[in-house]
Amino acid sequence: MRNFVFVAFVWCLTCASPLLAKPILLGSHSVWPPYVQDDDRGLSYDIVAAAFARSGETFALEVAPFSRAMRLAQSGKVDVIPALWYTQARAQQFFFSTAYLHNELIFISLAAHALPFSGLRSLNGKRVCMIRGFAYQNLVRGYPAIGVISQLHLSECLQQLARGRVDGVIADRFAAAYAITHHFQQEIFTVHTQVIASWPLHIGILKTHPRSRKLIGLFNQGLSAIIQDGTYQHLLSQYPQIGQEQGINPISH
């Protein structure tokens, strides 16, 4: 009888264990190589997953158009936006983590059509392509003479430029370098060196999420840990086109 009770007890524990397992943290973002390349791939995924893993959290990523990813977070269907720039409007809804990367926006034009660039004002009367839904579109709102064309992916913007359908593209410097290297002949573009704007990159978690403050704290602790033990620099090294200035200085942590 004792043996039967013991076996029944073990069986109950086995059946219950899936219920006791910690749920996976689900994030969503648009494809934005090399930061987000596919489900569970890309530099942002690598860093976010490694930081959360330090506290035993499992992070998974589901790609979706950025505007849809934001709606999924707002409806509670995903937990994390893994790559998010801070804006005052977003700060009303989201908690932001410590920055884990820095982005620099630059301008790209066709090499065959010399286009002088000295800031956004010099683009008045030009057609410029940007990724749909990204916060940096706010930068051009003060320049109504700039014609803005949006696409879901940076590669689509670069295709529009290569075909002469737009005069230029505004994009993250590293994302642009990655896209050009992998999909285009580099010599057809001029990548202008002037930085239009620079932003830190964070994860964002909706304030109404039941674990929002806790998860932000766990991520920040995990990020500090992977910076200190060299994991962070190792992850960056897997993407050789990234400039070290776009990473996070370990001294700051």
Side-chain angles (χ1 to χ4, degrees):
M1 179 66 178
R2 259 183 213 173
N3 288 339
F4 173 79
V5 172
F6 176 76
V7 170
F9 176 71
V10 171
W11 182 84
C12 288
L13 285 180
T14 303
C15 292
S17 61
L19 300 177
L20 299 175
K22 187 178 292 186
I24 292 175
L25 293 177
L26 183 61
S28 187
H29 200 282
S30 58
V31 173
W32 185 31
Y35 303 104
V36 178
Q37 299 189 69
D38 205 339
D39 291 351
D40 297 347
R41 292 181 63 236
L43 178 58
S44 284
Y45 168 77
D46 292 345
I47 293 173
V48 174
F52 273 127
R54 291 309 171 92
S55 57
E57 300 284 348
T58 301
F59 177 72
L61 182 64
E62 180 181 284
V63 297
F66 185 74
S67 57
R68 183 168 181 265
M70 293 290 277
R71 291 195 299 271
L72 289 171
Q74 290 161 352
S75 64
K77 294 179 181 178
V78 301
D79 304 290
V80 181
I81 301 295
L84 196 63
W85 291 327
Y86 178 94
T87 68
Q88 290 185 346
R90 290 173 178 173
Q92 295 178 12
Q93 293 184 296
F94 288 87
F95 287 127
F96 287 80
S97 70
T98 298
Y100 67 86
L101 284 171
H102 287 283
N103 298 115
E104 291 182 346
L105 294 184
I106 47 86
F107 180 69
I108 307 158
S109 62
L110 277 179
H113 299 88
L115 185 64
F117 177 72
S118 56
L120 291 177
R121 192 174 301 278
S122 66
L123 299 179
N124 283 337
K126 307 298 183 183
R127 297 164 299 164
V128 176
C129 193
M130 301 180 178
I131 301 177
R132 185 175 305 158
F134 277 28
Y136 62 74
Q137 289 190 355
N138 296 335
L139 290 173
V140 301
R141 288 183 179 174
Y143 302 88
I146 298 176
V148 177
I149 295 156
S150 61
Q151 296 288 346
L152 284 177
H153 306 298
L154 177 56
S155 60
E156 294 170 338
C157 280
L158 291 169
Q159 287 173 359
Q160 294 285 304
L161 178 58
R163 294 168 182 168
R165 295 177 181 173
V166 296
D167 299 300
V169 173
I170 293 177
D172 170 69
R173 180 162 63 90
F174 178 37
Y178 188 91
I180 291 171
T181 299
H182 284 77
H183 302 294
F184 299 91
Q185 294 179 336
Q186 191 165 357
E187 61 271 15
I188 70 174
F189 298 115
T190 295
V191 179
H192 297 261
T193 58
Q194 180 175 342
V195 176
I196 299 171
S198 177
W199 279 301
L201 192 63
H202 315 259
I203 71 164
I205 299 179
L206 205 71
K207 290 181 177 180
T208 54
H209 189 287
R211 299 179 66 207
S212 56
R213 290 184 183 274
K214 177 69 172 178
L215 290 174
I216 289 291
L218 292 177
F219 174 83
N220 289 344
Q221 292 171 16
L223 178 62
S224 180
I226 66 172
I227 288 173
Q228 294 301 327
D229 71 8
T231 300
Y232 177 85
Q233 287 301 124
H234 173 72
L235 294 175
L236 287 185
S237 72
Q238 306 306 302
Y239 301 84
Q241 288 157 319
I242 190 169
Q244 290 304 306
E245 68 276 10
Q246 286 181 277
I248 301 297
N249 185 348
I251 297 174
S252 66
H253 292 268

